[in-house]
Amino acid sequence: MKTILVTGCAGFIGSHTAELFLKLGNRVIGLDNLAPTYSIEIKRRNLEQVRAHASNPENFIFIEGNIRNSNIVENALKAHHPDLIVHLAALAGVQPSIKNPSEYMEVNVTGTVNLLESAHKLGIKNFILASSSSVYGTNSKVPFSEADRVNHPISPYAASKRSCELLAYTYSHLYQMKIACLRFFTVYGPRQRPDLAIYKFTQAILNDQLIQIYGDGTSQRDYTYISDIVEGIGLTSEWIQSEKAERNRFEIFNLGESQTVPLNQLVSLLEKTLNKKAKVEHAPYLPGDVPITYADLAHSKEILGYQPKVKIEEGINKFCDWYLNQK
Ligand code: NAD
């Protein structure tokens, strides 16, 4: 049995990740401050669902704490000495980062340094870090490869995630830590953050409200279903704890579907699945938004054996089922 610290475990990806590690028979320590970025009730419900996967209560310990506070982070690591840290806690989302850049830097960058520094001090060598496809900015070469230059992030959120990757490299170099940065491509599925398009559009269609489409609806996203992301995190945890990672201690992996979907097609798919027409209003593109995201998966397939399975049609079906049932 391994002990795994999952930061952001009350959130969307974190709660699914904590469940995976519990199902695999590990002990999970969750760290999250229940940030009011969306309903705290949703986060508490996520935690209840995680807890239900612990075969005994000691296998899931939740610490309500802020990663901005280095003492809280260090005490959590000292008390439980995890074999692996999966760092998912962050302020996510592009638009709020433009309104509130300093808070994004403090949580995402300083919070990450607090975790890396405490891990180093306590000799914890295995570290997985959530990055984002947003680091590719307006990269015109598609699909996006980990070898592409990523020096032009176009939002504070993207810049904060790229900064985390750079710091992760520094810690890996200085202290021989094994660190994998995972660039997630627009993740969706049950428990999705309510601020994300698929959730917002579903809610608006069902409530006869207007959907706002920024631009002409041709912008494209590589939408990734949550079970594929969680499988990718599981594969990364196997890789990082294996001999292979000793030879190459720092890695960046894209985790996407490698299938782009234009916004208009996404809306049509939701209309078909919900059997209801959307009321659409067009608005100008927002600063910070990128025209396309598209993952090249060659590297994550080769090193991790990552193979996403859920196509958008199936994923949207599953998401809508979940959405309707939770209501
Ligand atoms: P989420 O908001 O549902 O989860 C993040 C969690 O972090 C929340 O539960 C929040 O309470 C916690 N948190 C925030 N600030 C904290 C702090 N100061 N201290 C402790 N905990 C704090 O978001 P998510 O969609 O699950 O994203 C998880 C990670 O994946 C984030 O790092 C995000 O940047 C990254 N990511 C997500 C997506 C996506 O499409 N969802 C895409 C790319 C990258």
Side-chain angles (χ1 to χ4, degrees), residues 7-14 31-38 43 65-68 87-93 107-108 130-133 157 161 182-188 191-193 196:
T7 72
C9 77
F12 166 40
I13 301 174
L31 175 62
D32 197 302
N33 73 337
L34 307 181
T37 42
Y38 55 89
K43 295 188 181 181
N66 197 323
I67 58 166
R68 280 156 81 161
H87 175 36
L88 304 170
L91 292 179
V107 174
N108 295 3
S131 185
S132 160
S133 60
Y157 170 66
K161 287 289 169 182
L182 302 180
R183 291 181 179 162
F184 301 146
F185 283 67
T186 317
V187 190
Y188 73 105
R191 301 185 207 152
Q192 186 182 25
R193 297 204 320 265
L196 291 175

mmCIF file of all heavy atoms in Angstrom, residues 7-14 31-38 43 65-68 87-93 107-108 130-133 157 161 182-188 191-193 196, ligand 1:
data_model
loop_
_atom_site.group_PDB
_atom_site.id
_atom_site.type_symbol
_atom_site.label_atom_id
_atom_site.label_comp_id
_atom_site.label_asym_id
_atom_site.label_seq_id
_atom_site.Cartn_x
_atom_site.Cartn_y
_atom_site.Cartn_z
ATOM 1 N N THR A 7 -3.469 16.942 -3.940
ATOM 2 C CA THR A 7 -3.949 18.293 -3.646
ATOM 3 C C THR A 7 -5.102 18.604 -4.602
ATOM 4 O O THR A 7 -5.160 18.074 -5.711
ATOM 5 C CB THR A 7 -2.845 19.365 -3.799
ATOM 6 O OG1 THR A 7 -2.565 19.527 -5.194
ATOM 7 C CG2 THR A 7 -1.567 18.995 -3.058
ATOM 8 N N GLY A 8 -6.025 19.429 -4.150
ATOM 9 C CA GLY A 8 -7.204 19.750 -4.981
ATOM 10 C C GLY A 8 -8.175 18.584 -5.044
ATOM 11 O O GLY A 8 -8.959 18.474 -5.989
ATOM 12 N N CYS A 9 -8.157 17.736 -4.001
ATOM 13 C CA CYS A 9 -8.920 16.480 -4.066
ATOM 14 C C CYS A 9 -10.431 16.683 -3.934
ATOM 15 O O CYS A 9 -11.196 15.754 -4.163
ATOM 16 C CB CYS A 9 -8.427 15.490 -3.026
ATOM 17 S SG CYS A 9 -9.025 15.906 -1.424
ATOM 18 N N ALA A 10 -10.868 17.901 -3.564
ATOM 19 C CA ALA A 10 -12.315 18.143 -3.495
ATOM 20 C C ALA A 10 -12.853 18.640 -4.835
ATOM 21 O O ALA A 10 -14.056 18.798 -5.010
ATOM 22 C CB ALA A 10 -12.613 19.178 -2.403
ATOM 23 N N GLY A 11 -11.945 18.876 -5.777
ATOM 24 C CA GLY A 11 -12.364 19.423 -7.065
ATOM 25 C C GLY A 11 -12.742 18.333 -8.056
ATOM 26 O O GLY A 11 -12.861 17.149 -7.710
ATOM 27 N N PHE A 12 -12.918 18.748 -9.281
ATOM 28 C CA PHE A 12 -13.389 17.862 -10.350
ATOM 29 C C PHE A 12 -12.369 16.739 -10.617
ATOM 30 O O PHE A 12 -12.637 15.551 -10.351
ATOM 31 C CB PHE A 12 -13.637 18.744 -11.593
ATOM 32 C CG PHE A 12 -13.816 18.021 -12.889
ATOM 33 C CD1 PHE A 12 -14.539 16.833 -12.980
ATOM 34 C CD2 PHE A 12 -13.262 18.548 -14.068
ATOM 35 C CE1 PHE A 12 -14.703 16.180 -14.203
ATOM 36 C CE2 PHE A 12 -13.429 17.913 -15.285
ATOM 37 C CZ PHE A 12 -14.143 16.728 -15.348
ATOM 38 N N ILE A 13 -11.193 17.089 -11.107
ATOM 39 C CA ILE A 13 -10.219 16.055 -11.471
ATOM 40 C C ILE A 13 -9.659 15.398 -10.213
ATOM 41 O O ILE A 13 -9.448 14.176 -10.162
ATOM 42 C CB ILE A 13 -9.084 16.658 -12.340
ATOM 43 C CG1 ILE A 13 -9.682 17.286 -13.611
ATOM 44 C CG2 ILE A 13 -8.050 15.602 -12.705
ATOM 45 C CD1 ILE A 13 -8.686 18.039 -14.492
ATOM 46 N N GLY A 14 -9.450 16.212 -9.151
ATOM 47 C CA GLY A 14 -8.864 15.689 -7.911
ATOM 48 C C GLY A 14 -9.721 14.600 -7.269
ATOM 49 O O GLY A 14 -9.192 13.606 -6.771
ATOM 50 N N LEU A 31 -5.630 17.168 0.220
ATOM 51 C CA LEU A 31 -5.400 18.529 0.730
ATOM 52 C C LEU A 31 -6.138 19.505 -0.186
ATOM 53 O O LEU A 31 -5.912 19.510 -1.408
ATOM 54 C CB LEU A 31 -3.895 18.832 0.738
ATOM 55 C CG LEU A 31 -3.457 20.245 1.119
ATOM 56 C CD1 LEU A 31 -3.870 20.608 2.539
ATOM 57 C CD2 LEU A 31 -1.934 20.391 0.980
ATOM 58 N N ASP A 32 -7.011 20.300 0.394
ATOM 59 C CA ASP A 32 -7.814 21.239 -0.409
ATOM 60 C C ASP A 32 -8.367 22.284 0.564
ATOM 61 O O ASP A 32 -8.728 21.958 1.689
ATOM 62 C CB ASP A 32 -8.972 20.462 -1.067
ATOM 63 C CG ASP A 32 -9.628 21.215 -2.229
ATOM 64 O OD1 ASP A 32 -10.120 22.342 -2.027
ATOM 65 O OD2 ASP A 32 -9.672 20.645 -3.335
ATOM 66 N N ASN A 33 -8.447 23.532 0.106
ATOM 67 C CA ASN A 33 -8.993 24.560 1.011
ATOM 68 C C ASN A 33 -10.453 24.875 0.702
ATOM 69 O O ASN A 33 -10.990 25.860 1.202
ATOM 70 C CB ASN A 33 -8.149 25.848 0.960
ATOM 71 C CG ASN A 33 -8.361 26.606 -0.330
ATOM 72 O OD1 ASN A 33 -8.779 26.015 -1.334
ATOM 73 N ND2 ASN A 33 -8.070 27.898 -0.329
ATOM 74 N N LEU A 34 -11.087 24.061 -0.140
ATOM 75 C CA LEU A 34 -12.495 24.287 -0.531
ATOM 76 C C LEU A 34 -12.675 25.735 -0.992
ATOM 77 O O LEU A 34 -13.566 26.446 -0.524
ATOM 78 C CB LEU A 34 -13.452 23.941 0.619
ATOM 79 C CG LEU A 34 -13.292 22.546 1.253
ATOM 80 C CD1 LEU A 34 -14.313 22.345 2.365
ATOM 81 C CD2 LEU A 34 -13.428 21.439 0.225
ATOM 82 N N ALA A 35 -11.812 26.138 -1.896
ATOM 83 C CA ALA A 35 -11.850 27.526 -2.394
ATOM 84 C C ALA A 35 -13.227 27.823 -2.978
ATOM 85 O O ALA A 35 -13.800 26.983 -3.673
ATOM 86 C CB ALA A 35 -10.778 27.705 -3.477
ATOM 87 N N PRO A 36 -13.755 29.023 -2.711
ATOM 88 C CA PRO A 36 -15.120 29.332 -3.188
ATOM 89 C C PRO A 36 -15.161 29.708 -4.670
ATOM 90 O O PRO A 36 -15.884 30.616 -5.056
ATOM 91 C CB PRO A 36 -15.533 30.491 -2.279
ATOM 92 C CG PRO A 36 -14.255 31.149 -1.900
ATOM 93 C CD PRO A 36 -13.173 30.112 -1.916
ATOM 94 N N THR A 37 -14.386 29.018 -5.488
ATOM 95 C CA THR A 37 -14.400 29.291 -6.941
ATOM 96 C C THR A 37 -15.726 28.828 -7.539
ATOM 97 O O THR A 37 -16.145 29.319 -8.566
ATOM 98 C CB THR A 37 -13.232 28.560 -7.628
ATOM 99 O OG1 THR A 37 -13.149 27.242 -7.052
ATOM 100 C CG2 THR A 37 -11.919 29.263 -7.408
ATOM 101 N N TYR A 38 -16.331 27.813 -6.923
ATOM 102 C CA TYR A 38 -17.723 27.433 -7.201
ATOM 103 C C TYR A 38 -18.272 26.809 -5.930
ATOM 104 O O TYR A 38 -17.558 26.751 -4.914
ATOM 105 C CB TYR A 38 -17.851 26.521 -8.435
ATOM 106 C CG TYR A 38 -17.019 25.257 -8.437
ATOM 107 C CD1 TYR A 38 -17.496 24.065 -7.896
ATOM 108 C CD2 TYR A 38 -15.746 25.250 -9.009
ATOM 109 C CE1 TYR A 38 -16.737 22.908 -7.921
ATOM 110 C CE2 TYR A 38 -14.980 24.093 -9.034
ATOM 111 C CZ TYR A 38 -15.480 22.923 -8.493
ATOM 112 O OH TYR A 38 -14.721 21.779 -8.506
ATOM 113 N N LYS A 43 -18.210 20.669 -3.684
ATOM 114 C CA LYS A 43 -16.925 20.109 -3.251
ATOM 115 C C LYS A 43 -17.111 19.139 -2.086
ATOM 116 O O LYS A 43 -16.468 18.091 -2.034
ATOM 117 C CB LYS A 43 -15.953 21.235 -2.880
ATOM 118 C CG LYS A 43 -15.610 22.060 -4.114
ATOM 119 C CD LYS A 43 -14.522 23.062 -3.891
ATOM 120 C CE LYS A 43 -14.320 23.824 -5.201
ATOM 121 N NZ LYS A 43 -13.280 24.814 -5.158
ATOM 122 N N GLY A 65 -6.904 22.758 3.982
ATOM 123 C CA GLY A 65 -5.788 23.694 4.162
ATOM 124 C C GLY A 65 -5.394 24.348 2.855
ATOM 125 O O GLY A 65 -5.673 23.835 1.770
ATOM 126 N N ASN A 66 -4.717 25.495 3.026
ATOM 127 C CA ASN A 66 -4.377 26.330 1.877
ATOM 128 C C ASN A 66 -2.919 26.101 1.474
ATOM 129 O O ASN A 66 -2.011 26.256 2.299
ATOM 130 C CB ASN A 66 -4.588 27.801 2.278
ATOM 131 C CG ASN A 66 -4.656 28.700 1.076
ATOM 132 O OD1 ASN A 66 -3.951 28.492 0.085
ATOM 133 N ND2 ASN A 66 -5.525 29.696 1.138
ATOM 134 N N ILE A 67 -2.687 25.775 0.199
ATOM 135 C CA ILE A 67 -1.306 25.513 -0.246
ATOM 136 C C ILE A 67 -0.465 26.787 -0.288
ATOM 137 O O ILE A 67 0.750 26.726 -0.459
ATOM 138 C CB ILE A 67 -1.255 24.802 -1.622
ATOM 139 C CG1 ILE A 67 -1.974 25.615 -2.705
ATOM 140 C CG2 ILE A 67 -1.819 23.389 -1.517
ATOM 141 C CD1 ILE A 67 -1.674 25.157 -4.125
ATOM 142 N N ARG A 68 -1.104 27.952 -0.148
ATOM 143 C CA ARG A 68 -0.317 29.191 -0.062
ATOM 144 C C ARG A 68 0.456 29.248 1.245
ATOM 145 O O ARG A 68 1.407 30.024 1.374
ATOM 146 C CB ARG A 68 -1.255 30.402 -0.134
ATOM 147 C CG ARG A 68 -1.663 30.714 -1.539
ATOM 148 C CD ARG A 68 -2.956 31.466 -1.572
ATOM 149 N NE ARG A 68 -2.794 32.886 -1.309
ATOM 150 C CZ ARG A 68 -3.712 33.786 -1.643
ATOM 151 N NH1 ARG A 68 -4.806 33.421 -2.261
ATOM 152 N NH2 ARG A 68 -3.533 35.042 -1.363
ATOM 153 N N HIS A 87 -0.201 16.851 -7.555
ATOM 154 C CA HIS A 87 -0.548 18.237 -7.230
ATOM 155 C C HIS A 87 -1.514 18.804 -8.279
ATOM 156 O O HIS A 87 -1.107 19.189 -9.377
ATOM 157 C CB HIS A 87 0.740 19.059 -7.150
ATOM 158 C CG HIS A 87 0.515 20.513 -6.950
ATOM 159 N ND1 HIS A 87 -0.514 21.019 -6.170
ATOM 160 C CD2 HIS A 87 1.177 21.615 -7.441
ATOM 161 C CE1 HIS A 87 -0.468 22.349 -6.187
ATOM 162 N NE2 HIS A 87 0.539 22.723 -6.956
ATOM 163 N N LEU A 88 -2.793 18.851 -7.886
ATOM 164 C CA LEU A 88 -3.841 19.320 -8.803
ATOM 165 C C LEU A 88 -4.470 20.628 -8.332
ATOM 166 O O LEU A 88 -5.203 21.269 -9.088
ATOM 167 C CB LEU A 88 -4.942 18.255 -8.932
ATOM 168 C CG LEU A 88 -4.485 16.855 -9.379
ATOM 169 C CD1 LEU A 88 -5.619 15.853 -9.218
ATOM 170 C CD2 LEU A 88 -4.033 16.870 -10.826
ATOM 171 N N ALA A 89 -4.228 21.012 -7.080
ATOM 172 C CA ALA A 89 -4.873 22.230 -6.553
ATOM 173 C C ALA A 89 -4.391 23.441 -7.342
ATOM 174 O O ALA A 89 -3.197 23.600 -7.600
ATOM 175 C CB ALA A 89 -4.532 22.410 -5.076
ATOM 176 N N ALA A 90 -5.317 24.272 -7.721
ATOM 177 C CA ALA A 90 -4.964 25.493 -8.449
ATOM 178 C C ALA A 90 -6.213 26.337 -8.598
ATOM 179 O O ALA A 90 -7.327 25.856 -8.412
ATOM 180 C CB ALA A 90 -4.424 25.154 -9.844
ATOM 181 N N LEU A 91 -5.990 27.594 -8.954
ATOM 182 C CA LEU A 91 -7.102 28.377 -9.480
ATOM 183 C C LEU A 91 -7.081 28.121 -10.974
ATOM 184 O O LEU A 91 -6.077 28.370 -11.650
ATOM 185 C CB LEU A 91 -6.905 29.858 -9.164
ATOM 186 C CG LEU A 91 -7.002 30.217 -7.675
ATOM 187 C CD1 LEU A 91 -6.769 31.705 -7.459
ATOM 188 C CD2 LEU A 91 -8.362 29.801 -7.089
ATOM 189 N N ALA A 92 -8.183 27.549 -11.480
ATOM 190 C CA ALA A 92 -8.231 27.179 -12.888
ATOM 191 C C ALA A 92 -9.104 28.184 -13.632
ATOM 192 O O ALA A 92 -9.916 28.876 -13.022
ATOM 193 C CB ALA A 92 -8.794 25.772 -13.017
ATOM 194 N N GLY A 93 -8.934 28.261 -14.927
ATOM 195 C CA GLY A 93 -9.807 29.135 -15.721
ATOM 196 C C GLY A 93 -9.070 30.360 -16.211
ATOM 197 O O GLY A 93 -8.356 31.017 -15.447
ATOM 198 N N VAL A 107 -1.524 31.382 -5.676
ATOM 199 C CA VAL A 107 -1.990 30.000 -5.469
ATOM 200 C C VAL A 107 -1.221 29.043 -6.388
ATOM 201 O O VAL A 107 -0.666 28.037 -5.931
ATOM 202 C CB VAL A 107 -3.512 29.879 -5.736
ATOM 203 C CG1 VAL A 107 -3.945 28.420 -5.661
ATOM 204 C CG2 VAL A 107 -4.292 30.729 -4.742
ATOM 205 N N ASN A 108 -1.188 29.373 -7.671
ATOM 206 C CA ASN A 108 -0.653 28.402 -8.623
ATOM 207 C C ASN A 108 0.866 28.307 -8.554
ATOM 208 O O ASN A 108 1.419 27.204 -8.572
ATOM 209 C CB ASN A 108 -1.093 28.745 -10.053
ATOM 210 C CG ASN A 108 -2.609 28.631 -10.212
ATOM 211 O OD1 ASN A 108 -3.315 28.356 -9.249
ATOM 212 N ND2 ASN A 108 -3.104 28.844 -11.410
ATOM 213 N N ALA A 130 -0.189 19.119 -12.260
ATOM 214 C CA ALA A 130 -1.179 19.433 -13.298
ATOM 215 C C ALA A 130 -0.759 20.678 -14.054
ATOM 216 O O ALA A 130 -0.661 21.762 -13.480
ATOM 217 C CB ALA A 130 -2.546 19.668 -12.662
ATOM 218 N N SER A 131 -0.493 20.516 -15.350
ATOM 219 C CA SER A 131 -0.308 21.680 -16.199
ATOM 220 C C SER A 131 -1.523 21.772 -17.132
ATOM 221 O O SER A 131 -2.569 21.185 -16.835
ATOM 222 C CB SER A 131 1.015 21.587 -16.966
ATOM 223 O OG SER A 131 1.214 22.781 -17.697
ATOM 224 N N SER A 132 -1.371 22.464 -18.235
ATOM 225 C CA SER A 132 -2.564 22.729 -19.056
ATOM 226 C C SER A 132 -2.177 22.944 -20.515
ATOM 227 O O SER A 132 -1.093 23.465 -20.816
ATOM 228 C CB SER A 132 -3.233 23.997 -18.502
ATOM 229 O OG SER A 132 -4.080 24.556 -19.458
ATOM 230 N N SER A 133 -3.102 22.595 -21.395
ATOM 231 C CA SER A 133 -2.897 22.849 -22.837
ATOM 232 C C SER A 133 -2.781 24.351 -23.101
ATOM 233 O O SER A 133 -2.284 24.753 -24.155
ATOM 234 C CB SER A 133 -4.066 22.287 -23.639
ATOM 235 O OG SER A 133 -5.267 22.908 -23.234
ATOM 236 N N TYR A 157 -3.317 32.784 -16.327
ATOM 237 C CA TYR A 157 -3.461 31.358 -15.976
ATOM 238 C C TYR A 157 -2.418 30.519 -16.721
ATOM 239 O O TYR A 157 -1.699 29.718 -16.120
ATOM 240 C CB TYR A 157 -4.880 30.880 -16.307
ATOM 241 C CG TYR A 157 -5.056 29.385 -16.196
ATOM 242 C CD1 TYR A 157 -4.948 28.747 -14.951
ATOM 243 C CD2 TYR A 157 -5.296 28.598 -17.318
ATOM 244 C CE1 TYR A 157 -5.092 27.369 -14.844
ATOM 245 C CE2 TYR A 157 -5.442 27.217 -17.213
ATOM 246 C CZ TYR A 157 -5.343 26.608 -15.978
ATOM 247 O OH TYR A 157 -5.472 25.241 -15.878
ATOM 248 N N LYS A 161 0.798 28.343 -15.234
ATOM 249 C CA LYS A 161 1.028 26.908 -15.438
ATOM 250 C C LYS A 161 2.405 26.657 -16.055
ATOM 251 O O LYS A 161 3.100 25.712 -15.688
ATOM 252 C CB LYS A 161 -0.081 26.313 -16.312
ATOM 253 C CG LYS A 161 -1.409 26.180 -15.582
ATOM 254 C CD LYS A 161 -1.320 25.055 -14.546
ATOM 255 C CE LYS A 161 -2.484 25.017 -13.598
ATOM 256 N NZ LYS A 161 -2.368 23.976 -12.572
ATOM 257 N N LEU A 182 1.703 17.193 -16.384
ATOM 258 C CA LEU A 182 0.667 16.689 -17.291
ATOM 259 C C LEU A 182 -0.115 17.859 -17.873
ATOM 260 O O LEU A 182 -0.757 18.606 -17.135
ATOM 261 C CB LEU A 182 -0.275 15.738 -16.532
ATOM 262 C CG LEU A 182 0.404 14.535 -15.880
ATOM 263 C CD1 LEU A 182 -0.629 13.658 -15.166
ATOM 264 C CD2 LEU A 182 1.177 13.712 -16.910
ATOM 265 N N ARG A 183 -0.041 17.995 -19.189
ATOM 266 C CA ARG A 183 -0.809 19.063 -19.853
ATOM 267 C C ARG A 183 -2.187 18.509 -20.216
ATOM 268 O O ARG A 183 -2.334 17.781 -21.204
ATOM 269 C CB ARG A 183 -0.068 19.549 -21.102
ATOM 270 C CG ARG A 183 1.212 20.293 -20.746
ATOM 271 C CD ARG A 183 1.936 20.804 -21.983
ATOM 272 N NE ARG A 183 3.148 21.524 -21.583
ATOM 273 C CZ ARG A 183 4.161 21.793 -22.398
ATOM 274 N NH1 ARG A 183 4.125 21.409 -23.674
ATOM 275 N NH2 ARG A 183 5.222 22.454 -21.949
ATOM 276 N N PHE A 184 -3.163 18.823 -19.372
ATOM 277 C CA PHE A 184 -4.536 18.370 -19.623
ATOM 278 C C PHE A 184 -5.173 19.233 -20.706
ATOM 279 O O PHE A 184 -5.036 20.460 -20.690
ATOM 280 C CB PHE A 184 -5.401 18.503 -18.366
ATOM 281 C CG PHE A 184 -4.917 17.731 -17.168
ATOM 282 C CD1 PHE A 184 -5.104 18.244 -15.885
ATOM 283 C CD2 PHE A 184 -4.307 16.494 -17.290
ATOM 284 C CE1 PHE A 184 -4.688 17.553 -14.759
ATOM 285 C CE2 PHE A 184 -3.878 15.786 -16.171
ATOM 286 C CZ PHE A 184 -4.067 16.319 -14.904
ATOM 287 N N PHE A 185 -5.922 18.588 -21.589
ATOM 288 C CA PHE A 185 -6.685 19.301 -22.629
ATOM 289 C C PHE A 185 -8.159 19.253 -22.229
ATOM 290 O O PHE A 185 -8.713 18.158 -22.035
ATOM 291 C CB PHE A 185 -6.466 18.636 -24.000
ATOM 292 C CG PHE A 185 -5.128 18.971 -24.611
ATOM 293 C CD1 PHE A 185 -3.938 18.537 -24.047
ATOM 294 C CD2 PHE A 185 -5.062 19.751 -25.756
ATOM 295 C CE1 PHE A 185 -2.705 18.874 -24.597
ATOM 296 C CE2 PHE A 185 -3.840 20.086 -26.323
ATOM 297 C CZ PHE A 185 -2.658 19.647 -25.746
ATOM 298 N N THR A 186 -8.789 20.425 -22.106
ATOM 299 C CA THR A 186 -10.205 20.605 -21.698
ATOM 300 C C THR A 186 -10.894 19.318 -21.230
ATOM 301 O O THR A 186 -11.387 18.520 -22.035
ATOM 302 C CB THR A 186 -11.040 21.237 -22.837
ATOM 303 O OG1 THR A 186 -10.294 22.268 -23.425
ATOM 304 C CG2 THR A 186 -12.343 21.797 -22.277
ATOM 305 N N VAL A 187 -10.938 19.172 -19.932
ATOM 306 C CA VAL A 187 -11.454 17.939 -19.335
ATOM 307 C C VAL A 187 -12.951 18.101 -19.043
ATOM 308 O O VAL A 187 -13.384 19.161 -18.590
ATOM 309 C CB VAL A 187 -10.685 17.628 -18.030
ATOM 310 C CG1 VAL A 187 -11.037 16.229 -17.539
ATOM 311 C CG2 VAL A 187 -9.181 17.764 -18.245
ATOM 312 N N TYR A 188 -13.730 17.040 -19.310
ATOM 313 C CA TYR A 188 -15.166 17.112 -19.034
ATOM 314 C C TYR A 188 -15.645 15.759 -18.542
ATOM 315 O O TYR A 188 -14.964 14.741 -18.677
ATOM 316 C CB TYR A 188 -15.943 17.562 -20.285
ATOM 317 C CG TYR A 188 -16.046 16.506 -21.369
ATOM 318 C CD1 TYR A 188 -17.239 15.814 -21.590
ATOM 319 C CD2 TYR A 188 -14.938 16.162 -22.139
ATOM 320 C CE1 TYR A 188 -17.326 14.830 -22.571
ATOM 321 C CE2 TYR A 188 -15.022 15.186 -23.111
ATOM 322 C CZ TYR A 188 -16.215 14.512 -23.327
ATOM 323 O OH TYR A 188 -16.290 13.534 -24.284
ATOM 324 N N ARG A 191 -19.071 15.686 -12.475
ATOM 325 C CA ARG A 191 -18.433 16.595 -11.499
ATOM 326 C C ARG A 191 -17.636 17.709 -12.154
ATOM 327 O O ARG A 191 -16.817 18.371 -11.507
ATOM 328 C CB ARG A 191 -17.505 15.852 -10.524
ATOM 329 C CG ARG A 191 -18.194 14.797 -9.730
ATOM 330 C CD ARG A 191 -17.227 14.201 -8.715
ATOM 331 N NE ARG A 191 -17.613 12.849 -8.415
ATOM 332 C CZ ARG A 191 -16.807 11.891 -8.028
ATOM 333 N NH1 ARG A 191 -15.533 12.145 -7.839
ATOM 334 N NH2 ARG A 191 -17.252 10.689 -7.789
ATOM 335 N N GLN A 192 -17.825 17.910 -13.457
ATOM 336 C CA GLN A 192 -17.105 18.994 -14.130
ATOM 337 C C GLN A 192 -17.362 20.336 -13.441
ATOM 338 O O GLN A 192 -18.453 20.567 -12.903
ATOM 339 C CB GLN A 192 -17.571 19.083 -15.588
ATOM 340 C CG GLN A 192 -16.773 20.093 -16.379
ATOM 341 C CD GLN A 192 -17.255 20.229 -17.818
ATOM 342 O OE1 GLN A 192 -18.403 19.954 -18.126
ATOM 343 N NE2 GLN A 192 -16.377 20.655 -18.687
ATOM 344 N N ARG A 193 -16.366 21.198 -13.502
ATOM 345 C CA ARG A 193 -16.535 22.540 -12.932
ATOM 346 C C ARG A 193 -17.702 23.240 -13.633
ATOM 347 O O ARG A 193 -17.772 23.238 -14.869
ATOM 348 C CB ARG A 193 -15.269 23.387 -13.161
ATOM 349 C CG ARG A 193 -14.040 22.876 -12.501
ATOM 350 C CD ARG A 193 -13.037 23.998 -12.258
ATOM 351 N NE ARG A 193 -12.911 24.952 -13.309
ATOM 352 C CZ ARG A 193 -11.982 24.903 -14.292
ATOM 353 N NH1 ARG A 193 -11.128 23.899 -14.359
ATOM 354 N NH2 ARG A 193 -11.916 25.854 -15.195
ATOM 355 N N LEU A 196 -17.309 25.663 -16.795
ATOM 356 C CA LEU A 196 -16.800 25.227 -18.101
ATOM 357 C C LEU A 196 -17.939 25.066 -19.110
ATOM 358 O O LEU A 196 -19.093 24.805 -18.752
ATOM 359 C CB LEU A 196 -16.012 23.921 -17.951
ATOM 360 C CG LEU A 196 -14.688 24.091 -17.184
ATOM 361 C CD1 LEU A 196 -14.010 22.754 -16.948
ATOM 362 C CD2 LEU A 196 -13.736 25.027 -17.938
HETATM 363 P P1 NAD B 1 -11.259 22.416 -9.655
HETATM 364 O O1 NAD B 1 -11.415 23.874 -9.402
HETATM 365 O O2 NAD B 1 -12.487 21.579 -9.698
HETATM 366 O O3 NAD B 1 -10.244 21.779 -8.613
HETATM 367 C C1 NAD B 1 -9.171 22.503 -8.047
HETATM 368 C C2 NAD B 1 -9.221 22.321 -6.536
HETATM 369 O O4 NAD B 1 -8.130 23.056 -5.988
HETATM 370 C C3 NAD B 1 -10.498 22.869 -5.912
HETATM 371 O O5 NAD B 1 -11.173 21.871 -5.157
HETATM 372 C C4 NAD B 1 -10.024 24.006 -5.022
HETATM 373 O O6 NAD B 1 -10.778 24.128 -3.808
HETATM 374 C C5 NAD B 1 -8.583 23.621 -4.759
HETATM 375 N N1 NAD B 1 -7.777 24.805 -4.443
HETATM 376 C C6 NAD B 1 -7.804 26.010 -5.069
HETATM 377 N N2 NAD B 1 -6.982 26.861 -4.435
HETATM 378 C C7 NAD B 1 -6.432 26.179 -3.396
HETATM 379 C C8 NAD B 1 -5.535 26.535 -2.369
HETATM 380 N N3 NAD B 1 -5.018 27.784 -2.277
HETATM 381 N N4 NAD B 1 -5.182 25.592 -1.463
HETATM 382 C C9 NAD B 1 -5.700 24.337 -1.528
HETATM 383 N N5 NAD B 1 -6.569 23.951 -2.474
HETATM 384 C C10 NAD B 1 -6.936 24.865 -3.397
HETATM 385 O O7 NAD B 1 -10.469 22.311 -11.027
HETATM 386 P P2 NAD B 1 -10.166 21.044 -11.971
HETATM 387 O O8 NAD B 1 -10.850 21.293 -13.252
HETATM 388 O O9 NAD B 1 -10.395 19.779 -11.224
HETATM 389 O O10 NAD B 1 -8.601 21.247 -12.205
HETATM 390 C C11 NAD B 1 -7.615 20.483 -11.505
HETATM 391 C C12 NAD B 1 -6.237 20.854 -12.055
HETATM 392 O O11 NAD B 1 -6.166 20.573 -13.446
HETATM 393 C C13 NAD B 1 -5.891 22.337 -11.918
HETATM 394 O O12 NAD B 1 -4.519 22.441 -11.611
HETATM 395 C C14 NAD B 1 -6.178 22.900 -13.296
HETATM 396 O O13 NAD B 1 -5.412 24.049 -13.551
HETATM 397 C C15 NAD B 1 -5.773 21.728 -14.167
HETATM 398 N N6 NAD B 1 -6.415 21.712 -15.489
HETATM 399 C C16 NAD B 1 -7.766 21.492 -15.593
HETATM 400 C C17 NAD B 1 -8.356 21.450 -16.843
HETATM 401 C C18 NAD B 1 -9.836 21.204 -17.028
HETATM 402 O O14 NAD B 1 -10.307 21.232 -18.191
HETATM 403 N N7 NAD B 1 -10.609 20.949 -15.993
HETATM 404 C C19 NAD B 1 -7.574 21.631 -18.010
HETATM 405 C C20 NAD B 1 -6.215 21.873 -17.852
HETATM 406 C C21 NAD B 1 -5.642 21.874 -16.590
#
